[in-house]
């Protein structure tokens, strides 16, 4: 279970492009909190603290939003669901926070991380990664940063399928078909070369 990261945010009253530009000049990023219940709360968050929290949390660790509304503060757990960045300036345009219930499982995409050097690659094969993200279900505080796949024992023409993966505790992968996630294939042209060698030998 990962610890939550605290992040102070404020209620946002003004809307529109002009108001959002003014907030960015003042060092804020326009944001919104929404959840599965349909609640939608306009927010603003200071850019520097948000960047620090985002660096720590990414999209897989829960942040506890401390929402200031006048003299009241309400705490809500959320994921940093989406961050819009300026195409060429170091400016954050908008942030989406997705509210979560810490007692209910959530379904989301988690990246795949391949480790090790497959013995099939050592023998001249090529490693193919067929899926770079997997859909998983788990409690919000158990979301892994990535699904680690060790390919060391994979030989040429061998695949590692979804039902063979070692998953973190409390994490389930959703799938209907037992598809291959990674595999080692023969080097391009090897089959043709073998056929040519066989023909030359016959001659």
């Amino acid at each position: 279970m990962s610890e939550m990261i605290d992040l102070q945010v404020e209620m946002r009253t003004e809307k529109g492009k002009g108001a959002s530009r003014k907030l960015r000049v003042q060092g804020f990023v326009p944001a919104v909190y929404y959840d599965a219940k349909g609640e939608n709360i306009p927010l603003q968050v200071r850019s520097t603290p948000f960047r620090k929290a985002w660096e720590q949390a990414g999209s897989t660790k829960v942040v506890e939003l401390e929402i200031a509304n006048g003299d009241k503060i309400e705490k809500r757990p959320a994921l940093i669901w989406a961050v819009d960045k300026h195409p060429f300036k170091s400016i954050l345009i908008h942030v989406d926070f997705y509210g979560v219930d810490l007692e209910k499982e959530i379904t989301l995409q988690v990246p795949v991380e391949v480790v090790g050097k497959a013995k099939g690659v050592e023998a001249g094969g090529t490693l193919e990664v067929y899926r770079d993200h997997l859909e998983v279900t788990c409690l919000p505080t158990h979301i892994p940063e990535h699904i680690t796949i060790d390919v060391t024992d994979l030989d040429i023409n061998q695949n590692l399928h979804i039902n063979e993966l070692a998953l973190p505790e409390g994490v389930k992968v959703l799938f209907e078909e037992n598809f291959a996630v990674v595999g080692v294939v023969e080097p391009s042209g090897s089959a043709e070369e073998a056929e040519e060698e066989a023909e030359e030998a016959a001659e």
Side-chain angles (χ1 to χ4, degrees), residues 84-103:
D84 292 335
K85 297 180 287 186
H86 193 280
F88 54 87
K89 294 181 181 179
S90 181
I91 298 174
L92 300 180
I93 303 298
H94 192 270
V95 176
D96 287 351
F97 294 106
Y98 181 69
V100 295
D101 184 333
L102 299 181
E103 302 300 322

Side-chain angles (χ1 to χ4, degrees), residues 22-40:
K22 185 178 178 181
L23 282 176
R24 296 185 197 105
V25 170
Q26 295 172 344
F28 287 92
V29 182
V32 65
Y33 166 97
Y34 63 96
D35 57 27
K37 299 176 182 178
E39 191 162 9
N40 193 304

Side-chain angles (χ1 to χ4, degrees), residues 2-6 57 60-64 76-80 100 102 139-143:
S2 59
E3 295 183 1
M4 288 191 291
I5 298 164
D6 295 333
T60 58
K61 290 184 180 178
V62 179
V63 295
E64 185 163 62
R76 298 201 182 206
L79 294 171
I80 299 173
V100 295
L102 299 181
L139 291 174
T141 50
H142 285 75
I143 300 171

Side-chain angles (χ1 to χ4, degrees), residues 46-47 50 57 81 88 91 104 108 119 152 158 179 197:
R46 289 203 171 273
S47 179
F50 171 76
W81 202 250
F88 54 87
I91 298 174
K104 293 184 179 180
L108 73 167
K119 62 183 180 181
T152 304
Q158 285 187 339
F179 56 83
E197 290 175 1

Side-chain angles (χ1 to χ4, degrees), residues 42-70:
L43 301 172
Q44 59 192 45
V45 57
R46 289 203 171 273
S47 179
T48 299
F50 171 76
R51 287 178 183 272
K52 290 180 180 178
W54 187 28
E55 185 177 344
Q56 290 179 271
S59 59
T60 58
K61 290 184 180 178
V62 179
V63 295
E64 185 163 62
L65 299 180
E66 298 178 355
I67 304 175
N69 183 13

